[in-house]
Amino acid sequence: MRKLEALAVDHLVRGTQPALRRTSTLLVDKWPSFGSETSSRNSEVIHAGIYYADDSLKTRLCIRGRELLYELCRRERIPHANVGKWIVATSAEQAGDLDKLRRKAAGLGVPTHFIGQQEAAALEPNVRAHTVLVSPTTGIVDSHTYMQHLENTFADRGGVAAYGQTVVGLEKRGAGYRALLRGSDGTESAVEAATVVNAAGLGASAVASMLLPPSMTAHLKMHFCKGHYFAYSPSRKLVSRLVYPMPEKNVQSLGIHCTIDLAGKAKFGPDVLFIDNSSDYSIRDEDVEGLRQKFHEAVKAYMPGIRLEELRPDYTGIRPKLYGAGEPFRDFVIEVPDGYAGFVNLVGIESPGLTSSLAIAEHVETLL
């Protein structure tokens, strides 16, 4: 999901003079360009939609979003590849859990199938597995080109993007809303809107709290979850598809997995580190060796030939989670709060938000 603050507006007022009139939609983003947060700092995976509760928005919107995203990528020639994914069990105990996942996928109508150890070894000699569940509809996408297409389409249809603008105040005004914006240069402006869509990503809870009373935002508490990614140096192809370990029981993480980009280069991640600072994308030099050891230990369980010295820190991302360490699963929050018609909250849009993005847009449209 794009990390932005989007508002459908009637006009924008700077000081006392109208600067924009009769604008149908104004998109407000605090960063200088699109996709500067979670949308561009992830694994760029098109997920199949098999991990989460059957009746959850995450499941329903991921499955629908996957279909829409593949269709859009094919039609608009957005770089992508339906490379498929292996979910790997490394023991008999994990194999039992993997069969539960297969039956869950079948119930959702998402295709999966098992392959034997001999076939797996022939296809991916660098992978060691007791059992492999294949997800053939999983893929990868160039998220930057995808977001660029969305921005171009938005502009072609008359939308206006205001980058470098942060929402610092939001209040209800009659049948609509008034938002106070502050630019990167410190100047302030006001937006009067009939409709407000709060899709502010890591800042979504804060934006909601500007408008709603505390009694209506208790369920929107944000937890910032940092994830590191490590690239793998060898020029030879490591694998030809995505390789995931068995996910954690509470689906808080899908584990440190192996993905490939459209050029076939492998990377590993993300891990899970809850932090307080939502803009801390750093990888400190003093942490690198410990992280390298952590990643090597996790990955060698299903790729025993991985060499520690070939893992190098690449980038980090921060996920806007609605649950902290050890807490139970929380679904996406996509809601129109009671008494606030025309205001839509999108909070906790983490994975599989990128896959679900077009379906989320459909869902928001039905709410409005």
Side-chain angles (χ1 to χ4, degrees):
M1 192 72 187
R2 292 181 64 178
K3 303 306 159 193
L4 46 85
E5 295 139 357
L7 305 101
V9 305
D10 298 318
H11 61 272
L12 172 68
V13 179
R14 295 187 181 278
T16 59
Q17 299 297 318
L20 283 170
R21 291 194 181 277
R22 309 304 302 169
T23 301
S24 63
T25 305
L26 176 70
L27 183 152
V28 180
D29 194 321
K30 71 177 183 179
W31 297 103
S33 62
F34 62 80
S36 298
E37 288 186 353
T38 311
S39 299
S40 60
R41 292 175 171 270
N42 55 63
S43 300
E44 296 190 304
V45 171
I46 302 175
H47 288 284
I50 61 176
Y51 288 112
Y52 306 101
D54 292 1
D55 58 350
S56 67
L57 283 174
K58 284 191 175 184
T59 294
R60 178 160 58 88
L61 297 178
C62 182
I63 292 172
R64 171 63 176 160
R66 166 173 50 81
E67 296 169 353
L68 292 172
L69 186 53
Y70 273 131
E71 179 185 342
L72 178 70
C73 288
R74 288 190 294 265
R75 185 174 70 246
E76 301 297 334
R77 298 183 180 180
I78 296 169
H80 72 290
N82 184 185
V83 294
K85 176 174 76 176
W86 283 7
I87 307 169
V88 173
T90 57
S91 67
E93 179 185 2
Q94 284 192 347
D97 291 334
L98 203 56
D99 188 56
K100 292 178 184 177
L101 192 60
R102 180 196 60 79
R103 286 184 272 119
K104 173 180 169 58
L108 293 169
V110 178
T112 60
H113 62 271
F114 284 116
I115 60 172
Q117 289 183 354
Q118 188 173 354
E119 182 181 1
L123 290 171
E124 297 290 0
N126 291 314
V127 176
R128 180 179 67 190
H130 177 282
T131 311
V132 172
L133 183 66
V134 179
S135 172
T137 58
T138 302
I140 52 177
V141 63
D142 181 336
S143 61
H144 184 88
T145 303
Y146 169 51
M147 290 186 287
Q148 184 69 71
H149 169 79
L150 295 180
E151 185 188 51
N152 292 343
T153 302
F154 176 71
D156 289 346
R157 295 180 180 179
V160 175
Y163 291 112
Q165 298 285 329
T166 300
V167 175
V168 294
L170 184 62
E171 62 181 349
K172 199 169 186 343
R173 283 285 187 93
Y177 300 89
R178 179 181 173 86
L180 180 65
L181 312 181
R182 182 174 296 138
S184 54
D185 60 358
T187 59
E188 293 189 347
S189 57
V191 175
E192 294 179 1
T195 303
V196 176
V197 178
N198 171 22
L202 296 171
S205 291
V207 171
S209 296
M210 295 174 190
L211 176 68
L212 305 174
S215 61
M216 299 182 72
T217 59
H219 67 301
L220 302 179
K221 181 182 178 182
M222 187 71 70
H223 299 268
F224 305 120
C225 183
K226 186 174 184 178
H228 300 84
Y229 289 86
F230 272 69
Y232 197 63
S233 296
S235 56
R236 61 184 177 81
K237 183 178 288 188
L238 188 64
V239 289
S240 299
R241 51 186 54 78
L242 314 181
V243 183
Y244 280 53
M246 279 296 300
E248 295 180 2
K249 297 287 187 183
N250 64 357
V251 205
Q252 188 167 85
S253 168
L254 299 184
I256 294 177
H257 46 263
C258 176
T259 59
I260 55 175
D261 62 20
L262 291 165
K265 296 182 67 174
K267 64 177 179 286
F268 297 97
D271 60 346
V272 172
L273 177 65
F274 284 95
I275 60 174
D276 296 324
N277 184 355
S278 65
S279 59
D280 179 15
Y281 293 103
S282 65
I283 304 178
R284 299 185 306 174
D285 290 343
E286 58 266 35
D287 294 338
V288 168
E289 193 52 42
L291 285 167
R292 197 195 315 272
Q293 293 280 357
K294 173 185 176 181
F295 271 63
H296 183 251
E297 190 67 26
V299 172
K300 72 178 185 180
Y302 60 91
M303 285 188 179
I306 291 297
R307 297 191 297 275
L308 176 69
E309 65 275 13
E310 300 292 354
L311 289 166
R312 56 179 178 80
D314 197 2
Y315 63 96
T316 64
I318 301 174
R319 287 153 281 182
K321 287 184 176 290
L322 286 169
Y323 49 100
E327 295 180 0
F329 167 80
R330 287 281 307 276
D331 200 3
F332 292 154
V333 170
I334 304 177
E335 63 181 10
V336 177
D338 290 343
Y340 292 85
F343 176 69
V344 185
N345 255 333
L346 289 85
V347 187
I349 309 299
E350 53 160 336
S351 181
L354 180 66
T355 305
S356 306
S357 53
L358 295 175
I360 289 173
E362 277 189 340
H363 186 56
V364 169
E365 186 177 23
T366 64
L367 295 177
L368 291 172

